[in-house]
């Protein structure tokens, strides 16, 4: 016994109805093509949840752009073309987000590094200043004028009325005293950094 022939469906007519805003026409195409489009999307993005989201995006676009549908062209090919474009946009967005994440991370790292360096520098300067404050009065004067303010031994000699040899002796003794003060710190890395900071001061 022969099966009854399926009724002929004029999809061009349904496309025309979709173009005119028919929700029934939209449902017809969703029911007909959504499963095969979903399978295609899963193949392309390799994740079912993302494929589901992209499928919904695809049909939202179809509804929003229904006025662009051409009833004379293959609607299936039109759907697959949009699917490929949506997947392309998806991966382009992921790439852009990954790039922004890397850039943001680098900026944050740089800001953190600079902040950390500034804190370390302030702590080092405070440690050095505390050591300088413990020096005898004239040693402190000589060290401050030569090492902090950057004056030459000759300039300091005229300011304080003492010889260059005396100034050199004060600088040598002051430096040893400051280093000894810094070495009381248990953190050797920190000590070395502070010691280096003394040598970095202007002569």
């Amino acid at each position: 016994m022969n099966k009854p022939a399926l009724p002929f469906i004029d999809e061009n007519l349904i496309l025309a109805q979709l173009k005119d805003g028919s929700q029934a026409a939209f449902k017809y195409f969703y029911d007909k093509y959504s499963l095969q489009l979903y399978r295609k999307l899963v193949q392309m993005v390799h994740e079912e949840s993302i494929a589901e989201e992209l499928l919904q995006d695809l049909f939202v676009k179809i509804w929003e752009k229904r006025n662009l549908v051409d009833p004379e062209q293959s609607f299936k090919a039109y759907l697959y073309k949009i699917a490929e474009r949506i997947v392309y946009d998806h991966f382009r967005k992921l790439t852009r987000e990954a790039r922004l994440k890397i850039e943001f991370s680098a900026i944050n790292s740089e800001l953190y590094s600079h902040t950390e360096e500034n804190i370390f520098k302030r702590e080092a300067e405070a440690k050095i200043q505390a050591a300088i404050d413990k020096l005898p009065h004239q040693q402190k004067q000589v060290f401050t004028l030569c090492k902090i303010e950057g004056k030459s031994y000759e300039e300091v000699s005229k300011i304080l009325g003492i010889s260059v040899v005396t100034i050199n002796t004060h600088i040598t003794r002051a430096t040893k005293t400051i280093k000894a003060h810094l070495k009381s710190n248990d953190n050797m890395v920190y000590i070395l950094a502070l010691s280096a900071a003394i040598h970095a001061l202007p002569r």
Side-chain angles (χ1 to χ4, degrees):
M1 182 176 180
N2 294 330
K3 293 182 180 180
L6 294 174
F8 172 74
I9 298 177
D10 186 350
E11 287 200 349
N12 287 350
L13 177 60
I14 301 176
L15 282 173
Q17 292 172 351
L18 172 64
K19 192 169 184 177
D20 289 337
S22 168
Q23 294 185 9
F26 176 82
K27 184 177 183 304
Y28 167 83
F29 288 114
Y30 182 88
D31 292 342
K32 181 173 182 178
Y33 292 110
S34 60
L35 181 58
Q36 52 188 293
L37 283 168
Y38 169 73
R39 289 171 177 167
K40 180 66 176 179
L41 289 168
V42 170
Q43 291 176 359
M44 297 172 77
V45 300
H46 307 293
E47 190 168 334
E48 292 181 355
S49 60
I50 293 177
E52 290 174 1
E53 291 178 10
L54 296 181
L55 179 68
Q56 298 309 312
D57 290 344
L58 188 157
F59 276 97
V60 167
K61 287 183 182 297
I62 291 297
W63 179 254
E64 291 176 345
K65 304 293 184 180
R66 59 187 180 276
N67 60 305
L68 300 179
V69 172
D70 184 355
E72 301 302 320
Q73 301 296 323
S74 169
F75 189 62
K76 182 177 180 179
Y78 179 64
L79 288 173
Y80 274 80
K81 182 178 180 181
I82 294 178
E84 290 176 357
R85 189 178 305 159
I86 285 178
V87 170
Y88 172 78
D89 289 342
H90 167 71
F91 283 118
R92 185 174 61 178
K93 181 182 177 182
L94 288 181
T95 302
R96 183 172 64 250
E97 288 176 350
R99 186 175 65 250
L100 289 174
K101 185 176 181 180
I102 291 172
E103 292 175 357
F104 183 73
S105 177
I107 291 171
N108 270 355
S109 177
E110 184 177 353
L111 288 175
Y112 176 79
S113 176
H114 287 171
T115 301
E116 193 176 48
E117 287 173 6
N118 289 335
I119 292 172
F120 185 85
K121 182 180 178 183
R122 286 197 298 270
E123 289 178 352
E125 290 172 348
K127 286 284 185 180
I128 294 171
Q129 188 58 53
I132 293 171
D133 290 340
K134 293 180 181 294
L135 295 173
H137 178 68
Q138 194 164 59
Q139 277 189 28
K140 180 179 177 180
Q141 276 188 308
V142 170
F143 191 89
T144 300
L145 289 169
C146 291
K147 292 293 187 177
I148 306 301
E149 297 182 13
K151 297 184 184 301
S152 68
Y153 285 10
E154 289 76 14
E155 289 175 313
V156 175
S157 175
K158 292 178 182 178
I159 293 171
L160 299 180
I162 56 178
S163 69
V164 170
V165 173
T166 301
I167 291 170
N168 185 64
T169 300
H170 281 320
I171 290 293
T172 301
R173 290 176 179 175
T175 301
K176 287 181 180 179
T177 301
I178 292 170
K179 284 184 177 180
H181 174 80
L182 297 176
K183 286 178 181 177
S184 65
N185 193 311
D186 292 333
N187 189 336
M188 292 306 297
V189 174
Y190 193 58
I191 293 167
L192 292 173
L194 291 172
S195 297
I198 291 177
H199 292 299
L201 291 171
R203 298 179 182 277

